[in-house]
Amino acid sequence: MGTDRVTVWDDLLTAHERAALAPGRPEDLDRTPDVLVVGGGVIGLMAAAFCLRRGFERVVLIERAPRLVPGASSGNGGAVAPDMHLLTDTPQFVAFGRKSRQLYLDLDAEWDGAIGLRRTRWLDIRAEVPRQLPAPLRALTADEVRDLEPDVRLPDGASAVLAEGQLAVHPGRLAAALAGKAGQVATGVGLLGVSMRGDRVAVAHTTAGDFAPGALVVATGLVPRPWHTGVPQRWVKGHMLAVAPGPWRLGSVLAGPYGGGSPLPGGGVVCGGTFDDDAGPDVRPEVADPMAKALATLLPGAAEVPISHRWCCFRPRIEGRQPVVDRLPGLDNAWFAGGHFTTGMMMAPATGAAVAEWIATGSAPPEVEGFSLPVSETCP
């Protein structure tokens, strides 16, 4: 029987990591920090960690939920694969993702492997492969795929695009490691509103009292009140699932229109995710289970193993499906970082580094100039 709501990552956490994700509220919260970060997802945690690395000694992060990464930051597939976006996104988007990939490698080396980073390769299986592929993507025939992955079977006429040198991360393990590098971290504390003095946030009002930060970073997925007016944004529900270990050897992430999944170190496979119309929090097996059937079209052995986990989460989508790294409208000392939709895990380090640099220098880093906050007269 499958485990609904509990992610496969939850079951792989140690007791120490679980404790790190639910620190509660410290008694000695710094009320005048250099930087106050609102939001304990992976974007907020990276922003706080990079602010410390940039030289801000007093950083406080608050998360309204009882634990860190309560949403898509802990329910995603853990992919860090910027080269897979070469055929779908802008050069700036890919460059930002590649910067994140390098930062992940740097952090994992510095922290002695604490974030659980893994090197991966991707096979994008499709009916037709573009004649010209940008490096380092490479086209493979069905025979070449069989040599690389003997247990994978391509549909008739299909071929694949290979992307080597990508990464994957355990989302919960990453968050637990970041929690120890993000300054003062408090869970169960939510933002109620702000008081302004001119073009600056003077006071942030929270459920744990007031803060007077030097800078405010809002990393709440979508833009919250009172800055949300005119921003075309919404939450998009998605289902994920994992299948139990089975009779196969799989070293590649399988992707593309036929379906696919990402191999876990223990032999299972994570599949996801869907784009659902309903806004309810319930897991719907009739939506999730077809992903397991699609995996079995490429990995036939998966047809004989049970689904071990089903869960769903909500992703923040802002118009354009691009990450947003920008000042909050009309404010000199407040920033928003969010709207990463399906790429929050991939883009988190570069986002955090950009926010920290912007706060420190007062100027937007060149790599985020295209990631400004969109505003329109109507919202979808």
Side-chain angles (χ1 to χ4, degrees):
M1 296 294 291
T3 301
D4 289 351
R5 298 183 184 276
V6 177
T7 77
V8 68
W9 310 116
D10 290 328
D11 282 348
L12 295 174
L13 290 171
T14 67
H16 175 75
E17 289 165 344
R18 293 177 192 277
L21 293 177
R25 185 194 304 179
E27 294 182 359
D28 59 343
L29 274 173
D30 188 343
R31 298 294 171 171
T32 57
D34 298 322
V35 182
L36 174 65
V37 179
V38 178
V42 66
I43 301 297
L45 286 165
M46 282 289 187
F50 274 96
C51 282
L52 281 172
R53 296 169 71 86
R54 198 64 173 76
F56 296 100
E57 297 180 356
R58 299 163 59 194
V59 177
V60 173
L61 180 145
I62 60 173
E63 165 55 50
R64 67 179 180 181
R67 57 165 275 178
L68 299 169
V69 291
S73 286
S74 63
N76 67 86
V80 183
D83 292 343
M84 292 304 298
H85 292 264
L86 281 165
L87 299 178
T88 58
D89 290 286
T90 66
Q92 181 195 18
F93 185 97
V94 174
F96 201 62
R98 286 174 168 172
K99 179 176 181 178
S100 265
R101 180 176 59 186
Q102 185 57 54
L103 287 171
Y104 267 121
L105 292 168
D106 295 344
L107 292 174
D108 202 47
E110 181 179 331
W111 298 346
D112 298 323
I115 65 177
L117 199 64
R118 309 190 310 277
R119 294 181 182 269
T120 64
R121 62 174 179 254
W122 282 61
L123 283 174
D124 184 7
I125 299 170
R126 51 177 67 198
E128 185 176 354
V129 171
R131 291 184 178 181
Q132 292 187 333
L133 291 172
L137 301 183
R138 183 162 62 90
L140 298 184
T141 66
D143 288 341
E144 289 173 322
V145 171
R146 190 175 299 111
D147 290 340
L148 185 66
E149 295 289 354
D151 294 316
V152 171
R153 295 292 179 267
L154 267 62
D156 290 343
S159 53
V161 174
L162 173 66
E164 298 185 283
Q166 311 308 295
L167 303 174
V169 67
H170 181 310
R173 186 155 298 144
L174 168 66
L178 285 170
K181 309 287 187 179
Q184 271 196 319
V185 177
T187 50
V189 179
L191 180 69
L192 297 174
V194 299
S195 295
M196 266 104 54
R197 183 177 300 116
D199 60 359
R200 297 179 62 83
V201 170
V203 180
H205 308 287
T206 80
T207 56
D210 292 347
F211 294 83
L216 176 70
V217 178
V218 178
T220 52
L222 297 183
V223 183
R225 297 174 183 274
W227 306 287
H228 70 297
T229 303
V231 178
Q233 60 179 10
R234 60 190 175 94
W235 294 105
V236 179
K237 183 179 180 179
H239 278 78
M240 303 281 294
L241 63 77
V243 299
W248 57 70
R249 291 173 298 158
L250 182 64
S252 305
V253 177
L254 305 179
Y258 295 102
S262 178
L264 292 168
V269 181
V270 174
C271 303
T274 60
F275 300 100
D276 308 332
D277 293 330
D278 73 290
D282 295 333
V283 175
R284 299 170 58 195
E286 70 273 18
V287 175
D289 291 4
M291 289 188 289
K293 294 180 180 179
L295 172 66
T297 66
L298 303 176
L299 190 67
E304 307 299 326
V305 300
I307 294 171
S308 61
H309 298 77
R310 300 180 185 90
W311 68 95
C312 62
C313 57
F314 289 83
R315 313 168 182 105
R317 186 188 190 281
I318 296 177
E319 185 179 85
R321 295 178 58 174
Q322 298 289 302
V324 173
V325 184
D326 201 358
R327 290 188 194 270
L328 282 167
L331 295 175
D332 184 60
N333 70 332
W335 286 260
F336 175 77
H340 289 72
F341 197 36
T342 61
T343 61
M345 191 61 57
M346 182 175 77
M347 298 297 205
T351 299
V355 169
E357 181 180 347
W358 198 339
I359 296 172
T361 65
S363 299
E367 61 265 29
V368 301
E369 288 179 359
F371 299 150
S372 57
L373 186 64
V375 178
S376 66
E377 294 181 359
T378 60
C379 297

